[in-house]
Amino acid sequence: MVTKKIRIAAWAMLIAQAGIILTGGIVRLTGSGLGCSDWPKCTPDSLVATSEMGIHGAIEFGNRLLAIALAILGVLIALMLWRHRKKRPDLFWLDIGLLAIVPVQAVVGGITVWTKLNPWVVAGHFVPSAIAVGVAAYFVRRTYDTGARLGTRASAPLPTLGWIILALTAVIVVFGVLTTGAGPHSGSTMSTRNGLDNIWITRAHAFPVWLLVITTVTALVLAKRKAQTAMIAPLSVLLGVEIVQGIIGYVQYFLGVPELLVAFHMIGLSATIAAAVAVLDSAYPRSTDVSSDRSLSVVS
C-alpha cells in the first residue's frame, strides 16, 4: 500500500492548493492586488516586498511565497515517487501535472499585475487554481488504493450523475469568477470591473448551484436505494458543503458582500470542488487489495 508519508504529502498538496485560492482571495479582499507593482520582481527595484510598501506589499508577496512553497512541495513529492514511478505512474504523473500548473499560474499572475488587475485576466488566473484543487483531490483519492481498476462501476445512472455534478461544479466556478469580477472587491482602487450587472450575474450564478443541489440529492437517494455504499459518504459530504456554501452565499449577498464571509465562501468553493471530484471517482472503484497491489510496496 502507499505509505503514510506519501498520503500525508498528498493531503498537504490539496491543502496548499486550496490555500493558494484563499490567499489570492485575501489579496483581493484587502485591496493588495498591486501591493507588488511588478513581476517577477515585487517592484522594479526590489525582488521582495520592503517595509516601505506596507501591509499590502506583505500580503501580495506572501501569496507569491506560498506559490513557491507549493512548487517545492511538488518537487519533494516527485522525488519520493521517482523510483516507484513504474509501479504507480498514476501518482507520479498526477504530481507532475500539479507541478506544471505552478509556472502557468505564475505567468498568468504576472500578466494580472501588468494589466493592473484586469478583471478578465484575474478570472483566468483563478481557473487553473480551481483545476489544481480538483486534481489534488483526485491525487489524494489515489493514495488510498492500489491503482488497479476493478473494471466495474456504480449502478446506472450514478456514474452519469457524477459527471453532471462535476460539470455543474465547473459551471459554478466560471459564474463565480464572473460574479466576483462584477462585485465590489476589485483588489485595488486602480482596477476596473468587468461591466456585468451584479444582480443578474449573481442570479445566474445561483441557478447552477440549485441544479447541483438537486442533482446531489437525487444521486444520494439513488445511491442509498441501490446500496452503492462507496458513493454515499462522498455524496453526503458534498451535500453538506453545498448547504453551508448556500447559506454563506445568500447571507453575504444580503449583507453587502462582507470580506470575512467572502473568504469563508472561497474556502467552501475549494471544498466543493474536492467533494465533487470524490463523488465522481467513487462511481469508478479501484482495488484496495494488497495482494493485487501495483502501488508502492516499500517506500523509504
Side-chain angles (χ1 to χ4, degrees):
M1 295 292 288
V2 173
T3 63
K4 186 177 180 180
K5 287 183 179 180
I6 290 179
R7 191 169 293 133
I8 291 174
W11 275 105
M13 174 64 78
L14 174 57
I15 293 170
Q17 294 290 358
I20 284 288
I21 288 179
L22 177 59
T23 57
I26 292 173
V27 168
R28 177 171 53 82
L29 293 169
T30 58
S32 304
L34 294 176
C36 285
S37 60
D38 200 7
W39 187 88
K41 291 184 176 181
C42 191
T43 71
D45 302 318
S46 176
L47 179 64
V48 301
T50 62
S51 57
E52 292 79 9
M53 298 167 62
I55 186 64
H56 294 308
I59 291 173
E60 163 64 11
F61 190 69
N63 181 243
R64 296 187 183 190
L65 287 179
L66 182 57
I68 294 174
L70 188 62
I72 293 173
L73 176 60
V75 171
L76 290 176
I77 294 175
L79 292 175
M80 293 172 66
L81 293 169
W82 174 254
R83 63 192 180 91
H84 304 281
R85 66 192 184 279
K86 292 183 179 179
K87 294 180 180 179
R88 286 303 300 267
D90 55 336
L91 294 180
F92 180 76
W93 289 111
L94 281 169
D95 179 63
I96 295 300
L98 288 167
L99 191 57
I101 292 176
V102 176
V104 173
Q105 276 291 70
V107 171
V108 178
I111 296 173
T112 300
V113 173
W114 292 338
T115 59
K116 304 302 179 185
L117 308 187
N118 180 290
W120 299 104
V121 180
V122 172
H125 187 42
F126 181 84
V127 171
S129 290
I131 294 173
V133 168
V135 175
Y138 186 71
F139 183 37
V140 169
R141 295 272 304 181
R142 291 285 64 76
T143 64
Y144 286 88
D145 60 46
T146 68
R149 289 185 179 273
L150 294 177
T152 60
R153 63 179 64 183
S155 301
L158 287 168
T160 300
L161 290 175
W163 283 107
I164 292 173
I165 284 171
L166 188 63
L168 285 171
T169 302
V171 172
I172 288 167
V173 168
V174 172
F175 276 98
V177 296
L178 292 177
T179 303
T180 297
H185 303 296
S186 62
S188 171
T189 56
M190 297 177 62
S191 176
T192 59
R193 304 285 69 208
N194 60 24
L196 298 175
D197 184 273
N198 192 35
I199 294 177
W200 283 105
I201 192 62
T202 301
R203 291 174 178 173
H205 177 45
F207 181 69
V209 171
W210 280 109
L211 288 179
L212 178 62
V213 172
I214 293 170
T215 306
T216 302
V217 171
T218 302
L220 182 56
V221 170
L222 288 173
K224 289 183 176 181
R225 286 183 177 179
K226 295 174 178 290
Q228 300 294 304
T229 55
M231 295 192 70
I232 292 175
L235 282 165
S236 298
V237 170
L238 176 60
L239 182 59
V241 171
E242 290 167 359
I243 291 172
V244 174
Q245 273 291 82
I247 293 172
I248 294 174
Y250 277 103
V251 171
Q252 74 173 8
Y253 176 76
F254 289 112
L255 292 182
V257 203
E259 288 84 352
L260 183 60
L261 285 181
V262 174
F264 279 118
H265 201 51
M266 297 190 74
I267 295 172
L269 178 59
S270 293
T272 303
I273 295 169
V277 169
V279 166
L280 177 59
D281 185 54
S282 67
Y284 299 88
R286 286 174 171 76
S287 171
T288 57
D289 183 5
V290 178
S291 64
S292 62
D293 195 0
R294 296 187 335 182
S295 66
L296 315 184
S297 56
V298 179
V299 179
S300 58

